[in-house]
Amino acid sequence: MEIRETPTAEAGMLIRRPVAEMFEAIVDPAITTKFWFTHGSGRLDSGKEVRWEWRIYGVSTPVTVSEFVRNEKIVLQWSDPPTTVVWTFTEMPEGATFVEVRNFGFAGSADEQVKQAIGSTDGFALVLAGAKAWLEQGLTLGLIGDRHPKGVHEQTV
């Protein structure tokens, strides 16, 4: 099998909250920790580097913001080796937001890149589902912590 396009993780979700609120949920770790990582060292902003932690897994990653357009787009680099994550926020009718996430720039062989893109798609789909539950219903589903429970198989975020 030959890969003709760079493996890219893609996920999207309609979230019935205003675009400014959805954008803030990704920027502010006090909100993001309700549905994704367990600790963030600071708010996202243009040119800023923060650290996100998943203490339940003993994993953390530096996050560097390379583009920041309020209520529209966030581009960041994270992980080791670094990959690029692009968040886009599209204002929809009736105060809703369509959020899209793309993650690309995976390293390794073609097979390794495909595996990473599939895992990233899985993870971002859970993040968006968790964000939807939190922002629309005030529910903390624990999706990220429950994705890789101890004793099933060892996996890192």
Side-chain angles (χ1 to χ4, degrees):
M1 177 186 326
E2 182 181 325
I3 296 177
R4 294 186 180 159
E5 293 183 27
T6 303
T8 300
E10 296 180 2
M13 180 75 65
L14 179 71
I15 298 180
R16 290 177 177 82
R17 302 303 301 164
V19 70
E21 189 174 333
M22 183 60 232
F23 188 86
E24 186 68 11
I26 301 303
V27 169
D28 184 354
I31 302 168
T32 320
T33 55
K34 306 292 185 191
F35 58 86
W36 191 8
F37 48 81
T38 58
H39 180 77
S41 66
R43 293 174 56 85
L44 297 182
D45 206 345
S46 186
K48 189 171 181 181
E49 182 174 312
V50 298
R51 178 162 290 281
W52 288 345
E53 299 177 36
W54 291 262
R55 291 179 177 172
I56 52 177
Y57 296 123
V59 174
S60 68
T61 188
V63 176
T64 303
V65 179
S66 58
E67 186 177 348
F68 190 87
V69 181
R70 182 159 304 284
N71 300 335
E72 292 179 24
K73 184 178 189 180
I74 302 168
V75 179
L76 56 88
Q77 286 69 45
W78 74 337
S79 200
D80 185 26
T83 64
T84 298
V85 179
V86 179
W87 292 85
T88 56
F89 305 82
T90 303
E91 189 172 357
M92 301 296 288
E94 300 180 19
T97 305
F98 189 72
V99 183
E100 295 175 277
V101 185
R102 294 179 58 244
N103 186 197
F104 54 89
F106 302 105
S109 70
D111 286 344
E112 291 168 334
Q113 290 179 45
V114 168
K115 183 176 180 181
Q116 291 171 61
I118 290 169
S120 182
T121 299
D122 175 46
F124 280 117
L126 291 175
V127 168
L128 292 176
K132 182 177 184 71
W134 173 253
L135 293 167
E136 290 183 10
Q137 305 295 324
L139 299 173
T140 302
L141 300 179
L143 297 171
I144 302 304
D146 291 346
R147 176 61 183 98
H148 301 288
K150 287 185 179 183
V152 173
H153 55 75
E154 295 302 315
Q155 176 78 27
T156 59
V157 175

